[in-house]
Amino acid sequence: MERTKKKKSVLGRFKKVAVTVYVVLLLVFCCAGYGLYSFFHKNIREERGNHVSALTETLAELAELYASSRREMIQLMGAYIDGSEFANAGELFVALREQNQLFDMEESEVYVVDKDGTYYKSDGTTGVWENKDYFIENIAEERMWIRYVPGEEKRHLFCWIALDNPIYLKEEGKKLEYYTVVIDSSHLEYALVSNSYAEKSSVYILANDGTRLYRQSKIFDIPLESDYLRELERNVELINGDWEKLKKVVSSDKGIYCMEISYEGIDYYLATCPVANMPNWNLMVVVDSDMLVNSKEGLDDYANLLVWVLIFILVGLLSVTVILFVYLKSKEGLSKQQKDSARLLELAAKEANRANRAKTELMAHISHDIRTPIGGVMGMTNIARRSMDDKEKVEDCLDKIDESSAYLLSLVNKVLDLSKIESGEFKLVKEPFYIVDLLKECVEMMEGQIKENKIWFYKKFPPFAHPAVLGDRLHVQQILMNILGNAMKYTPAGGQVTFLVTEQMAEEGKVEYCFTVQDTGIGMDAEFLKRIYQPYAKADEDEGKRYHGTGLGMTIAKQYIDAMGGTIQVESELGKGSRFMVRIPFVIAEAPPEKEKEGVTVTKAFEGKKILAVEDVPINLKITVFLLENMGFTVDTALNGIEAVEVFKRSKAGEYSAILMDVMMPEMDGLEATEVIRKLDRADATTIPIVAATASAFEDDRIAIMNAGMNGYLLKPLNDESVYSEMMKQIFPGKKQ
């Protein structure tokens, strides 16, 4: 009886303690839930403000990108005409209009201005600037403003630079020191689109003193005053924020500031952010707060539900925590050896993946670099087939096919060295060459692709002050062919590709060339531009299916450019095209020597001589027989080493003057066949000249060829001169060719 009472007493105390603990836990969770609910509501406003601030910062970046791209284009336009001389103003007007067309700036006005404020405008008019001191101040600087054009009420974007070398008008004896381009400021709306908020938002650009420079759409019905922020303060009700802090941020060009305001009974979020690299530009965005609230309908109900769900989740997490604690304690005995083994296996897997990735990159690299010259060969072949009746055109196509083939062969001979780039063993070859000759070859190799794709191609190569340079000609050609090839590939039929080359700088025996390739193709978005130099970078899966490629081209080009001490810049807009600017420094060289032609004349010098040609590839065998018969040889053939040995055994002693032996063949290769022939018991077995035909140029292979008993070797692909020279050396030793 007493024992039962004790049990009930213990159970009662346990229940009281349990109830107390649960009540305390319930109060804790309720307080936590209420605090979370309050915190959640407080942060809604902060999240909206952060959202508007982020939008403002993004639009400021877009405004800076637009202004910078315009400024760079105008710098290039100024450099293009810098130091030019014209007989009179008429010639200057023609040059300015041509510039507008060349740089696609036909909707803009170009002015050149002298120190007195007299201007010459691209539309053929002249005059004197009003308030000219505003534009002539700070002569050494380049400036960009949004300001009224003299005689007009509409604001425009001004970009003004001082020319390094003035433009000279001979008849008038005038020097024009300043170059100005005026662009309609409405073009900014393409860079500052905020369609996400329809007509319930406005975008402004303010000066540091609060003056409104630009407005896109309209919310506030406030007339333009000298201090726009002060007018806002007078007409707008402040909900949350500080007007003085806003003015301070605008005047200092630093930081981002967001506040809540009310105008005509509607609440708005207002945020401002400076535009980088554009002094005196501050971007201000105003968004109707209803646009932000609409995306959070049912937020309050969701918050209430979240509190209770969180309570149950926390209880569940506590239970899971206990279970996991017990489980982990039971697994605590896992030995260090097992952990180390798992780590080693992971490292081995990563190393294997890295090795496979490197192998794949190498093969893709080779494929990408040979695709463009092969495209030139195929394009010229197609043109030749359609022009069989035009002998001159066919011969021209054959010459260009030969040039592309020579370039392709040179590329294949060196492509195996590309892995040295990553290992730091890559070395540049410096040889004298003419820039003009290089550019001409690049254009000629692209002609087939230009005609095949029906692309408008424009090239601009002005006279160069230092045309002869010292550098790695092959790799410069590879860079240009890669960029031009991409421009052709990603530009649809009827599109335009422009190739502009300028000499930017010459000092202390060095010169820098700028190669610009601009197209009107599919373009690239900002996200892709961030990873354009990464291996296998492609815009998206759909484009990858339409345009075949390895995604290694720009990676390779960037490595070459870096190795040469150059730079590359890319500007692109999705759906509107791309522009690549490559700057490469060169050492100024003396005029390179003229290329001397080979002094070998192929004749019928081997008439009456018989030769055995061994080759397992039918088309190569056909070419080999044609070359040999053209030299006067009577030719017997064999398709592999075993057949070659049998043919030689059946021949009479001295019947063959030489054997041209392929090295890589099935059943028995050329090395084994040569060793067998040398061991035959007949007089001519050890004396007959055996010449190897091989596609390998490595030193180890050359040594193996000579050790097998061969007398010489020829590199594939075979040509008349090399075969003729080698056969003369073997069959008529000492005879002058």
Side-chain angles (χ1 to χ4, degrees):
M1 195 67 179
E2 290 181 2
R3 186 177 297 177
T4 303
K5 288 181 179 180
K6 287 182 180 180
K7 286 182 179 181
K8 288 182 179 181
S9 177
V10 171
L11 183 60
R13 287 197 298 271
F14 175 79
K15 287 181 178 180
K16 290 180 181 179
V17 172
V19 169
T20 303
V21 170
Y22 279 114
V23 169
V24 171
L25 288 175
L26 182 59
L27 290 174
V28 169
F29 281 121
C30 288
C31 292
Y34 179 79
L36 179 63
Y37 180 84
S38 301
F39 178 80
F40 192 85
H41 273 274
K42 179 182 177 182
N43 278 273
I44 289 174
R45 297 172 71 181
E46 293 181 4
E47 288 174 3
R48 294 173 187 164
N50 292 338
H51 181 79
V52 176
S53 297
L55 172 64
T56 305
E57 188 174 12
T58 299
L59 292 179
E61 291 174 357
L62 292 175
E64 192 273 337
L65 179 63
Y66 172 84
S68 297
S69 66
R70 296 296 92 187
R71 180 167 52 198
E72 290 179 7
M73 176 65 74
I74 292 162
Q75 287 172 345
L76 183 60
M77 291 171 69
Y80 183 85
I81 202 170
D82 183 73
S84 300
E85 291 186 3
F86 299 95
N88 50 49
E91 287 188 4
L92 173 61
F93 293 142
V94 173
L96 293 177
R97 285 193 293 271
E98 289 178 350
Q99 258 201 317
N100 278 11
Q101 294 174 356
L102 176 63
F103 291 93
D104 196 21
M105 299 284 286
E106 295 177 318
E107 295 182 6
S108 304
E109 293 293 344
V110 177
Y111 298 77
V112 285
V113 189
D114 66 12
K115 287 184 178 180
D116 297 325
T118 302
Y119 66 81
Y120 294 79
K121 192 176 177 183
S122 57
D123 64 1
T125 61
T126 63
V128 178
W129 283 103
E130 297 178 10
N131 193 17
K132 64 181 181 182
D133 293 338
Y134 183 85
F135 297 94
I136 306 304
E137 68 181 358
N138 299 323
I139 293 176
E141 298 180 359
E142 61 179 28
R143 299 289 300 276
M144 182 170 281
W145 310 281
I146 297 178
R147 190 173 175 85
Y148 291 110
V149 174
E152 297 182 21
E153 295 183 359
K154 189 174 182 180
R155 286 179 176 264
H156 290 70
L157 179 66
F158 283 73
C159 186
W160 172 89
I161 60 174
L163 297 174
D164 293 335
N165 300 297
I167 298 169
Y168 184 69
L169 297 181
K170 294 182 180 178
E171 291 183 2
E172 300 180 21
K174 257 188 185 180
K175 291 183 179 179
L176 308 176
E177 289 92 343
Y178 308 107
Y179 187 91
T180 303
V181 177
V182 181
I183 305 169
D184 190 338
S185 64
S186 63
H187 288 191
L188 271 170
E189 68 188 43
Y190 297 107
L192 303 178
V193 173
S194 57
N195 289 335
S196 300
Y197 302 105
E199 298 179 356
K200 295 190 176 183
S201 66
S202 287
V203 180
Y204 303 84
I205 294 180
L206 304 179
N208 293 132
D209 61 0
T211 302
R212 190 188 76 195
L213 303 178
Y214 169 81
R215 178 184 68 195
Q216 180 175 311
S217 74
K218 176 180 176 183
I219 286 181
F220 305 120
D221 189 18
I222 297 175
L224 180 61
E225 299 291 343
S226 60
D227 190 339
Y228 195 70
L229 291 181
R230 180 66 65 184
E231 288 300 312
L232 280 179
E233 183 178 0
R234 293 174 182 172
N235 293 274
V236 174
E237 179 184 354
L238 181 64
I239 298 177
N240 182 29
D242 187 339
W243 285 109
E244 294 304 317
K245 186 172 182 180
L246 175 67
K247 295 173 188 176
K248 184 177 180 181
V249 169
V250 171
S251 63
S252 65
D253 254 350
K254 294 180 181 178
I256 301 173
Y257 187 67
C258 183
M259 56 196 298
E260 296 176 62
I261 59 176
S262 179
Y263 180 72
E264 295 184 349
I266 300 176
D267 295 342
Y268 297 91
Y269 277 81
L270 182 151
T272 184
C273 172
V275 179
N277 300 319
M278 295 301 299
N280 204 34
W281 279 29
N282 289 271
L283 192 88
M284 186 174 78
V285 175
V286 181
V287 181
D288 188 337
S289 63
D290 287 340
M291 297 300 296
L292 302 171
V293 173
N294 288 343
S295 63
K296 297 178 174 62
E297 291 181 358
L299 193 60
D300 293 342
D301 293 337
Y302 176 75
N304 292 328
L305 178 62
L306 183 63
V307 171
W308 293 108
V309 170
L310 182 59
I311 292 174
F312 287 108
I313 290 175
L314 288 175
V315 173
L317 286 176
L318 287 174
S319 302
V320 171
T321 301
V322 173
I323 296 172
L324 287 176
F325 178 80
V326 174
Y327 175 79
L328 291 175
K329 290 294 287 184
S330 66
K331 293 294 183 181
E332 214 171 35
L334 185 64
S335 66
K336 186 177 181 300
Q337 184 178 2
Q338 288 175 307
K339 293 181 180 179
D340 291 342
S341 298
R343 183 174 57 84
L344 291 174
L345 285 174
E346 183 179 358
L347 291 175
K350 288 182 179 179
E351 183 64 22
N353 288 335
R354 188 200 63 79
N356 288 334
R357 191 162 55 248
K359 179 180 178 181
T360 303
E361 286 179 7
L362 177 61
M363 298 307 297
H365 192 165
I366 296 171
S367 172
H368 183 278
D369 276 356
I370 67 177
R371 188 179 297 276
T372 299
I374 286 178
V377 171
M378 295 175 69
M380 287 296 103
T381 302
N382 189 26
I383 294 172
R385 284 176 175 169
R386 298 180 181 182
S387 310
M388 297 301 290
D389 296 334
D390 189 340
K391 183 179 178 181
E392 291 185 3
K393 182 173 285 189
V394 171
E395 289 180 350
D396 180 62
C397 289
L398 292 175
D399 289 340
K400 290 174 181 175
I401 289 172
D402 188 52
E403 290 175 5
S404 295
S405 300
Y407 167 75
L408 183 60
L409 177 61
S410 175
L411 182 61
V412 170
N413 286 338
K414 293 187 176 182
V415 74
L416 293 179
D417 292 333
L418 293 178
S419 60
K420 294 181 180 179
I421 295 175
E422 295 296 335
S423 63
E425 299 177 6
F426 170 69
K427 294 181 181 179
L428 294 171
V429 176
K430 291 190 176 181
E431 59 182 1
F433 66 92
Y434 284 112
I435 285 288
V436 175
D437 292 344
L438 172 66
L439 299 177
K440 182 179 178 183
E441 289 182 18
C442 289
V443 172
E444 286 177 348
M445 282 191 282
M446 297 307 302
E447 282 183 355
Q449 196 170 351
I450 293 170
K451 293 178 180 179
E452 185 72 21
N453 294 350
K454 299 178 181 178
I455 292 171
W456 294 98
F457 181 73
Y458 300 95
K459 61 181 184 294
K460 183 70 174 179
F461 308 148
F464 301 128
H466 305 91
V469 297
L470 194 68
D472 195 321
R473 188 182 193 280
L474 173 65
H475 290 107
V476 174
Q477 190 176 45
Q478 284 180 256
I479 293 167
L480 297 180
M481 291 296 291
N482 184 287
I483 297 175
L484 283 169
N486 283 343
M488 301 297 176
K489 179 168 63 173
Y490 294 112
T491 299
Q496 177 178 315
V497 175
T498 302
F499 187 21
L500 173 66
V501 182
T502 57
E503 184 178 338
Q504 296 284 13
M505 173 194 68
E507 60 180 3
E508 299 180 358
K510 293 184 178 181
V511 62
E512 183 178 81
Y513 275 91
C514 179
F515 307 91
T516 302
V517 178
Q518 185 166 353
D519 63 67
T520 59
I522 63 175
M524 298 169 280
D525 59 23
E527 182 63 30
F528 176 65
L529 286 176
K530 296 178 182 178
R531 51 187 179 87
I532 188 174
Y533 302 120
Q534 296 178 5
Y536 312 109
K538 293 184 180 181
D540 55 51
E541 186 176 351
D542 292 336
E543 293 298 341
K545 292 177 181 178
R546 288 176 56 198
Y547 302 98
H548 297 292
T550 61
L552 281 172
M554 292 312 302
T555 306
I556 299 165
K558 182 70 163 60
Q559 290 174 330
Y560 286 159
I561 292 168
D562 290 345
M564 296 177 189
T567 61
I568 180 171
Q569 292 177 292
V570 186
E571 297 175 2
S572 186
E573 186 173 351
L574 199 62
K576 293 188 177 181
S578 305
R579 182 169 71 129
F580 290 80
M581 294 180 65
V582 176
R583 291 182 172 87
I584 299 178
F586 298 97
V587 176
I588 299 173
E590 299 294 333
E594 294 291 333
K595 293 182 179 179
E596 297 184 2
K597 295 184 178 180
E598 295 289 339
V600 177
T601 302
V602 179
T603 66
K604 296 281 186 178
F606 301 102
E607 286 187 348
K609 301 292 183 180
K610 195 172 184 180
I611 190 170
L612 175 60
V614 188
E615 171 65 62
D616 64 309
V617 180
I619 189 171
N620 290 347
L621 181 59
K622 187 174 183 179
I623 294 171
T624 302
V625 171
F626 175 81
L627 293 177
L628 294 172
E629 288 181 343
N630 193 47
M631 300 172 194
F633 279 111
T634 299
V635 184
D636 286 344
T637 62
L639 296 176
N640 55 58
I642 295 175
E643 189 175 331
V645 172
E646 292 302 318
V647 171
F648 184 77
K649 284 181 179 180
R650 293 195 300 268
S651 67
K652 298 177 182 179
E655 179 179 348
Y656 292 114
S657 298
I659 300 175
L660 183 57
M661 181 80 72
D662 185 22
V663 175
M664 297 293 292
M665 293 184 294
E667 299 186 41
M668 179 185 287
D669 63 31
L671 301 180
E672 292 180 77
T674 299
E675 291 175 351
V676 172
I677 290 173
R678 293 302 188 201
K679 293 177 182 178
L680 293 177
D681 186 16
R682 50 187 287 176
D684 59 347
T686 57
T687 59
I688 184 171
I690 302 178
V691 178
T694 178
S696 176
F698 293 105
E699 182 65 16
D700 291 345
D701 295 317
R702 189 191 69 80
I703 294 173
I705 287 170
M706 305 310 292
N707 289 340
M710 294 184 174
N711 302 86
Y713 70 96
L714 292 166
L715 286 176
K716 292 183 178 181
L718 303 179
N719 59 69
D720 296 51
E721 291 82 1
S722 61
V723 175
Y724 183 85
S725 297
E726 186 64 28
M727 289 305 167
M728 287 293 292
K729 183 173 67 174
Q730 298 297 337
I731 297 176
F732 302 114
K735 184 176 179 180
K736 195 171 183 180
Q737 298 183 27

